[in-house]
Amino acid sequence: MTESSDQNRSLSEAQRRAVRQMLRIAPVADELGERFNNAGHDLALVGGSVRDAFLDRLGQDLDFTTSARPDESKRLLSGWADHLWDVGQAYGTIGASKAGFQIEVTTYRSDVYDRASRKPAVTYGDSIEEDLVRRDFTVNAMALKLPSREFVDPHAGLADLGNKIIRTPGTPESSFSDDPLRMMRAARFAAQLGFDVAPEVVKAMRDMADRLDIISAERVRDELTKMILSDRPRTGLTLLVDTGLADRVLPELPALRLEIDEHHRHKDVYEHSLTVLEQAIELEHRLPGGSPDLVARLAALLHDIGKPRTRRFESGGGVSFHHHDVVGAKLARKRLTKLRYPASVVDAVSKLTELHLRFHGYGTGQWTDSAVRRYVRDAGDLLEQLHVLTRSDCTTRNPRKAQALQRSYDDLENRIERLQEEEELAKIRPDLDGNQIMSILGIEPGPLVGKASKHMLEVRMDKGPLSEDDARAELLKWWAEQQES
């Protein structure tokens, strides 16, 4: 079969998928099209909605473009939509919900960035062709006019969809100048869709990487998050690194290319980190909900970013990275904070990075129950993510060593499960509460009570649950030592 026939077959399959999706959304889309048409305005399904219809992955979010100005769109949606919101009106967008669909109607427009501005200057257009040429990529520059269902594809987006390639409607330089974030979007779509990026687009990304500096951290963060949560994050991340965009967004990642893995399992720590990310994704079914987990994926990607700062060449010819877990935790916190990630994400990724080496002290099960309790306590709510990260961090090509590490971690998890059942590890508290401590020691509320409580928690970790008499004896022993010191 020739390449041309393969492409035709791919397009015909895509067209059948699009028809099926259009039939599903027709009651809402056609009705809305009639409403705008009767008022003398054009309306078309556009962008990602059309692309996803051809890919048979159209969800409940529908994007429309129209000749109507925002105030008129708002009037036409009022009384028809179940709910209406206008938070995007300044950018020409009115949002609504109808029959379970989330709808956005945006006036034809052209966004142009000033070289020193972080926000687009919105100007409205007069035709759908003018609107489509300003779209980021050809696969997002297709439209379906409603209610006539006339397909509009001035930039051969359907052909590019069939060929699985990402191109820009105009020149990449012009597109990226209008909105530099589109360079990251190219990498993100490559990761989400499994498409190749056209060579001229890659070249423009490399040549214009510095333009990304005018984009706000929040917009960069959102694109990075979508990429990391995609099915193939390695594809997008590799493109960011190869084009120099990662140097502007996540410089700690390309820095890993210079570091030789101390176990010589990979040509460098960069490749190791991407492999750990992929293996973490394969283990996400272990996590609650089983869906893509941003914290687990970020921790897998960033767990070794402390290695460049801690690399030391040993006299015997080896390389060490002592304390790269602690240094990496600080670097992860700094980078994620700069990218404006929520504090909960920053704290979680930093903690996982700091804990990712802890298991390697377990050996073949030499840890005491006390050490296992501390492992669980220190992980807290992140225990399941720590399990995933630690298992993923095994990338040795030696099957015997890999199996030994897996058996050791299986043993650790079994011990955790047993102790959980016996002692409810997640709810570990000192055997004596604050009131009991004050009564036994005859002291008033204050710092000494907290100090005593902390000591009793350490006793609980070391010895497990104690009877009230034994706990009292431990407290009095500690108190006597305090009086002597």
Side-chain angles (χ1 to χ4, degrees):
M1 185 175 290
T2 66
E3 181 178 346
S4 177
S5 60
D6 285 342
Q7 179 183 342
N8 290 337
R9 180 179 178 183
S10 177
L11 288 179
S12 64
E13 291 173 352
Q15 288 160 350
R16 283 194 293 271
R17 292 193 294 263
V19 169
R20 180 165 60 248
Q21 292 290 351
M22 284 308 303
L23 289 174
R24 180 174 68 86
I25 70 171
V28 169
D30 288 348
E31 189 175 292
L32 188 59
E34 290 283 1
R35 193 173 183 88
F36 273 73
N37 185 61
N38 292 339
H41 298 292
D42 298 331
L43 183 79
L45 190 71
V46 73
S49 294
V50 178
R51 178 201 70 220
D52 287 347
F54 281 113
L55 294 174
D56 205 19
R57 49 183 282 173
L58 179 61
Q60 297 300 104
D61 294 340
L62 303 179
D63 294 327
F64 297 90
T65 188
T66 181
S67 59
R69 295 304 189 251
D71 286 341
E72 182 67 1
S73 294
K74 188 175 181 180
R75 185 185 70 80
L76 290 169
L77 288 165
S78 298
W80 174 81
D82 298 329
H83 301 283
L84 185 72
W85 53 91
D86 58 7
V87 292
Q89 186 166 348
Y91 296 97
T93 299
I94 304 297
S97 63
K98 176 72 172 182
F101 289 98
Q102 301 299 308
I103 293 166
E104 285 192 350
V105 179
T106 303
T107 302
Y108 297 154
R109 70 187 192 193
S110 178
D111 294 350
V112 179
Y113 273 73
D114 181 270
R115 292 194 67 85
S117 174
R118 291 178 180 267
K119 296 181 179 180
V122 176
T123 57
Y124 297 128
D126 298 315
S127 70
I128 193 167
E129 289 77 15
E130 184 180 359
D131 182 83
L132 293 178
V133 76
R134 60 158 288 275
R135 300 273 164 172
D136 51 6
F137 305 111
T138 58
V139 294
N140 296 330
M142 300 179 286
L144 191 70
K145 290 184 176 180
L146 297 168
S148 66
R149 299 193 184 179
E150 175 190 349
F151 182 54
V152 183
D153 183 19
H155 305 289
L158 186 56
D160 285 343
L161 197 70
N163 290 325
K164 296 185 177 181
I165 192 163
I166 295 171
R167 293 190 305 110
T168 54
T171 66
E173 291 79 9
S174 175
S175 180
F176 297 158
S177 181
D178 284 349
D179 186 353
L181 190 67
R182 290 174 177 174
M183 294 184 284
M184 284 195 67
R185 285 170 63 83
R188 191 250 292 183
F189 280 124
Q192 284 184 329
L193 303 176
F195 286 12
D196 293 325
V197 180
E200 68 274 14
V201 176
V202 174
K203 181 179 184 302
M205 292 167 67
R206 185 175 292 113
D207 293 343
M208 302 177 66
D210 64 327
R211 287 281 284 137
L212 197 61
D213 294 347
I214 73 166
I215 302 300
S216 68
E218 290 81 2
R219 294 186 71 209
V220 169
R221 173 204 63 205
D222 290 346
E223 282 300 325
L224 183 63
T225 296
K226 291 173 185 177
M227 182 189 304
I228 289 174
L229 292 178
S230 70
D231 292 339
R232 310 167 191 82
R234 176 193 278 263
T235 299
L237 292 166
T238 299
L239 189 55
L240 290 187
V241 170
D242 290 346
T243 57
L245 288 169
D247 292 325
R248 332 293 302 193
V249 175
L250 195 63
E252 294 80 5
L253 182 60
L256 294 176
R257 290 178 299 178
L258 305 177
E259 308 308 317
I260 305 301
D261 187 272
E262 69 267 37
H263 301 299
H264 303 286
R265 295 171 295 191
H266 299 272
K267 63 181 181 181
D268 56 31
V269 180
Y270 168 71
E271 288 294 332
H272 165 75
S273 298
L274 293 176
T275 300
V276 173
L277 172 59
E278 291 177 321
Q279 293 185 167
I281 292 172
E282 292 175 1
L283 292 177
E284 281 181 330
H285 64 274
R286 296 170 52 98
L287 300 175
S291 58
D293 187 287
L294 179 62
V295 166
R297 292 191 183 196
L298 281 171
L301 181 65
L302 302 178
H303 73 286
D304 273 346
I305 62 172
K307 284 189 171 180
R309 294 277 186 92
T310 58
R311 180 174 61 168
R312 297 292 182 273
F313 295 100
E314 305 296 342
S315 57
V319 180
S320 67
F321 302 93
H322 297 309
H323 307 301
H324 77 267
D325 47 344
V326 177
V327 173
K330 293 178 180 178
L331 291 174
R333 177 176 296 280
K334 183 177 180 181
R335 176 55 53 191
L336 296 179
T337 298
K338 190 170 183 178
L339 286 169
R340 303 289 194 271
Y341 274 99
S344 59
V345 172
V346 175
D347 292 343
V349 175
S350 178
K351 177 182 275 191
L352 287 171
T353 301
E354 186 171 358
L355 293 175
H356 83 273
L357 290 181
R358 183 76 67 87
F359 161 72
H360 294 287
Y362 187 74
T364 55
Q366 291 92 335
W367 276 5
T368 62
D369 283 352
S370 171
V372 175
R373 292 188 195 101
R374 292 174 191 279
Y375 188 78
V376 174
R377 180 194 65 180
D378 291 346
D381 294 339
L382 298 172
L383 182 62
E384 293 303 320
Q385 282 102 327
L386 183 57
H387 288 334
V388 166
L389 175 59
T390 305
R391 287 183 179 276
S392 303
D393 197 22
C394 173
T395 57
T396 178
R397 294 173 182 173
N398 183 324
R400 189 177 304 171
K401 186 174 182 179
Q403 291 170 7
L405 286 169
Q406 181 174 324
R407 285 194 299 270
S408 291
Y409 209 85
D410 287 343
D411 182 63
L412 174 58
E413 287 201 59
N414 289 334
R415 288 182 65 186
I416 290 173
E417 185 176 356
R418 174 176 59 79
L419 288 172
Q420 290 276 26
E421 292 175 356
E422 294 175 356
E423 304 179 16
E424 294 187 282
L425 290 183
K427 300 179 182 178
I428 281 184
R429 298 289 185 275
D431 289 304
L432 300 174
D433 62 25
N435 290 328
Q436 290 173 305
I437 289 172
M438 288 187 289
S439 174
I440 293 169
L441 300 183
I443 60 176
E444 297 295 323
L448 274 177
V449 178
K451 191 175 180 180
S453 180
K454 183 177 181 180
H455 170 73
M456 292 307 297
L457 178 60
E458 293 300 318
V459 171
R460 173 71 174 78
M461 287 289 174
D462 287 337
K463 299 186 176 183
L466 299 177
S467 67
E468 186 172 346
D469 287 343
D470 288 342
R472 178 188 179 91
E474 288 287 346
L475 177 63
L476 291 173
K477 177 182 176 183
W478 170 83
W479 184 244
E481 292 170 353
Q482 298 300 304
Q483 301 304 306
E484 294 174 1
S485 59

